[in-house]
Amino acid sequence: MTGAEMDEARKAYFNDSAEKWIDLWYRDPETGRQDRHAKDFERLFALMPLKTGDSVLDAGCGTGVLVPYLLDAVGASGTICELDFAPRMIEINRRLHPAANIRFLVADVEQTPLACASCDAAVCFSCFPHFSDKGRAVETLAGILKPQGILIVAHFASSRGINARHKTCAAVRHDHLPDEGAMRKMMETRGFAIEAFIDEEGFYYLQARKKA
Ligand SMILES: C[S@@+](CC[C@H](N)C(=O)[O-])C[C@H]1O[C@@H](n2cnc3c(N)ncnc32)[C@H](O)[C@@H]1O
């Protein structure tokens, strides 16, 4: 399979999974509620330095599991951009989240069509391993962030856990979260300073700040 064919297969997989995405990953089978990771979200949003009025890009947003938390963090004066390359994910996300301060974009993160230096934060939650050219994605995100803006890469699994999980699914079996050294180098060579790095069972969090 060529790289382009792999990209198409990955996009088709996410598009086809959109309808059941939240049930699959976020619904607690016992309670039936969408709060399987409630404590993890609490931890994630306690770490992320978001403020009222911020403009935040949610890259690889899927059906928008972060939206309620992001809205809470940035308030009515802030803005959220939900971006995903799978149209079906965005369609469902838009239907679920009618707030006026959310913009929806079907686009590849490597070509994020936002203005230069327009965002306070870019969040890549549970999606970074799927970006086919990760260096290019980081460079693009550096471009749309304001000086001192932050880039977050987060998962509710360790890098080891994520990489093992992806190997079990044909469409994403080559999608890999690089090790700490490679992630640091990728960020630092593109104008970021790493402020936090956690990679432990059940939780991964990298916070990088764009240098002024
Ligand atoms: C594992 S899902 C996670 C979705 C969402 N963040 C969540 O946690 O529910 C990964 C998402 O990233 C999107 N994605 C993968 N590569 C992308 C790219 N290059 N540009 C934009 N979106 C991408 C997929 O379509 C998919 O919705």
Side-chain angles (χ1 to χ4, degrees):
M1 230 194 229
T2 65
E5 284 167 345
M6 265 158 55
D7 287 351
E8 277 315 303
R10 189 187 293 119
K11 196 188 286 188
Y13 164 74
F14 284 120
N15 223 23
D16 294 346
S17 308
E19 211 72 56
K20 51 182 187 291
W21 194 256
I22 292 281
D23 282 350
L24 198 60
W25 294 106
Y26 299 105
R27 199 169 299 285
D28 184 326
E30 278 176 24
T31 64
R33 288 194 302 268
Q34 197 185 307
D35 58 3
R36 187 166 139 201
H37 285 287
K39 285 208 155 33
D40 297 316
F41 281 120
E42 213 174 284
R43 181 177 181 191
L44 175 62
F45 277 82
L47 284 168
M48 286 200 285
L50 299 177
K51 316 175 295 300
T52 303
D54 273 355
S55 167
V56 180
L57 169 66
D58 182 7
C61 60
T63 53
V65 70
L66 294 187
V67 168
Y69 302 94
L70 290 172
L71 284 176
D72 209 38
V74 305
S77 59
T79 53
I80 300 170
C81 178
E82 292 290 293
L83 176 144
D84 201 290
F85 71 177
R88 198 74 192 106
M89 289 282 192
I90 291 294
E91 197 183 316
I92 294 169
N93 192 335
R94 189 195 294 273
R95 199 174 65 216
L96 293 173
H97 304 113
N101 54 343
I102 309 178
R103 181 179 174 193
F104 296 94
L105 283 174
V106 177
D108 192 308
V109 70
E110 290 166 33
Q111 287 135 25
T112 301
L114 294 179
C116 265
S118 59
C119 292
D120 299 285
V123 183
C124 301
F125 175 65
S126 216
C127 57
F128 195 83
H130 305 302
F131 300 161
S132 52
D133 186 340
K134 295 173 179 56
R136 187 158 168 214
V138 171
E139 211 162 291
T140 305
L141 295 174
I144 59 105
L145 282 170
K146 298 175 185 173
Q148 297 291 322
I150 55 156
L151 172 59
I152 307 287
V153 177
H155 292 268
F156 294 160
S158 65
S159 59
R160 210 167 136 194
I162 294 152
N163 291 334
R165 185 191 297 158
H166 287 166
K167 284 202 182 101
T168 67
C169 173
V172 298
R173 70 183 182 282
H174 298 298
D175 297 1
H176 193 77
L177 185 59
D179 66 21
E180 180 177 357
M183 288 298 279
R184 283 185 182 274
K185 191 168 173 202
M186 192 187 307
M187 300 289 161
E188 285 163 2
T189 54
R190 289 171 177 84
F192 287 99
I194 306 280
E195 293 189 330
F197 184 87
I198 301 168
D199 187 1
E200 60 190 35
E201 199 178 332
F203 200 80
Y204 181 96
Y205 180 82
L206 181 154
Q207 179 180 312
R209 193 173 292 274
K210 181 175 168 177
K211 291 178 190 158

